[in-house]
Amino acid sequence: MLTGVTSEPPVRARQPARLPPRLRTWLVAGLSLLGGYVIATARQVAVRPPLVLGQDAVSSPQSREARVTLEQAGGPVIRIRPSGGEARTLLVFYPGGLVRPQAYEWLGRALADQGVETVIPAFPLDLAVTAAGRADALIGAYGGGKRVVIAGHSLGGAMAAQYAARHPGKVAGLILMAAYPAGNVTLKDQTLPVLSLLAERDGVAAPEDVRGGLDRLPAGTTLTVIPGAVHAFFGRYGPQRGDGQPDVNRAQAEGDILNAVQTYLTGLR
């Protein structure tokens, strides 16, 4: 038997500090809400609503008879043609960010009676930045024998400007709706006729930014202000977060937009 040896009590592992039950409950609830928000937002971006022709266009007083079809040309595209006769102009329209193509069908229908064929592509995630060169396939498929104009709303307008800048001579005109070229894009040295539409009450594309974008556009660019209109009045997709408060109704704004575009296209001829 050993003597002279004392045994020490075992050292207990330090237990981590515990949060009070009430605080723990609030923390779990907060993380659950945050996770749900992240998942819902990601799903909203990744899972886009279906393309439904005519849904956002039939009630427009400016709508004309037109042939509207959903086709494939480098991806899904809404094609809007005059109901009788051949089109003289092809309008390639890039939608705004996270906006479905059918939101701009009203404009294509209204222009069809003027001999304009409009094609509105669907982009991955509804973001034109994912395929800014998409116009190549559309011009190749539908542009034969026609004057080609590229247009776009918001982010789609910025990507349309980028396409025109990188493909000089490929298009005969550019229409920007509540949009302007990115800071690293310039068309200053081109003679391309450009129409820039500014919504007077826009809270998304700030009017001073749209006006500032003129410094990167050709000297002869036409700036047209749409009185009392907001950012979301260019497409039929409902109110937009951060937008301004309109002081005209949508029908009036759409009429002004259509008149400006028609005047511009007539001038090209």
Side-chain angles (χ1 to χ4, degrees):
M1 178 176 179
L2 296 177
T3 60
V5 178
T6 59
S7 61
E8 297 182 359
V11 178
R12 293 184 179 181
R14 184 182 296 273
Q15 296 296 320
R18 290 194 175 188
L19 295 174
R22 188 171 184 178
L23 179 59
R24 191 163 60 246
T25 299
W26 280 104
L27 181 61
V28 170
L31 290 175
S32 298
L33 288 173
L34 178 61
Y37 174 78
V38 170
I39 292 172
T41 301
R43 179 179 175 80
Q44 182 181 11
V45 173
V47 182
R48 307 306 298 152
L51 286 170
V52 182
L53 301 182
Q55 178 173 277
D56 299 311
V58 294
S59 62
S60 172
Q62 289 90 17
S63 293
R64 305 293 196 271
E65 290 297 324
R67 291 178 289 169
V68 184
T69 53
L70 181 60
E71 303 184 8
Q72 289 288 329
V77 57
I78 296 176
R79 184 185 184 190
I80 307 167
R81 290 169 284 172
S83 58
E86 292 298 320
R88 301 179 295 275
T89 299
L90 176 69
L91 180 68
V92 178
F93 195 100
Y94 283 7
L98 300 180
V99 180
R100 295 262 71 191
Q102 65 257 33
Y104 306 94
E105 186 183 336
W106 73 269
L107 180 63
R109 285 177 175 266
L111 291 172
D113 199 46
Q114 308 299 315
V116 178
E117 178 176 342
T118 301
V119 288
I120 313 170
F123 289 94
L125 303 179
D126 285 332
L127 295 169
V129 70
T130 61
R134 180 74 183 281
D136 281 339
L138 299 173
I139 295 171
Y142 306 114
K146 304 181 184 75
R147 175 181 283 110
V148 178
V149 175
I150 191 168
H153 173 222
S154 195
L155 175 63
M159 293 302 99
Q162 177 177 298
Y163 181 87
R166 295 182 178 179
H167 301 80
K170 192 73 176 284
V171 296
L174 169 66
I175 302 174
L176 302 178
M177 298 184 178
Y180 46 90
N184 62 341
V185 173
T186 181
L187 296 92
K188 195 72 177 177
D189 296 330
Q190 293 195 30
T191 57
L192 185 71
V194 179
L195 172 65
S196 176
L197 299 181
L198 186 161
E200 184 181 31
R201 309 281 291 178
D202 199 324
V204 179
E208 57 268 25
D209 292 335
V210 175
R211 294 182 186 277
L214 297 175
D215 293 337
R216 299 185 296 281
L217 293 172
T221 294
T222 299
L223 175 67
T224 299
V225 177
I226 307 300
V230 295
H231 196 80
F233 276 4
F234 290 97
R236 294 184 174 180
Y237 55 91
Q240 185 164 349
R241 181 180 298 177
D243 208 353
Q245 183 67 35
D247 56 18
V248 297
N249 60 41
R250 176 178 287 275
Q252 178 62 51
E254 287 183 352
D256 291 340
I257 292 166
L258 177 60
N259 288 338
V261 172
Q262 287 177 329
T263 299
Y264 168 79
L265 292 176
T266 299
L268 288 182
R269 301 192 187 103

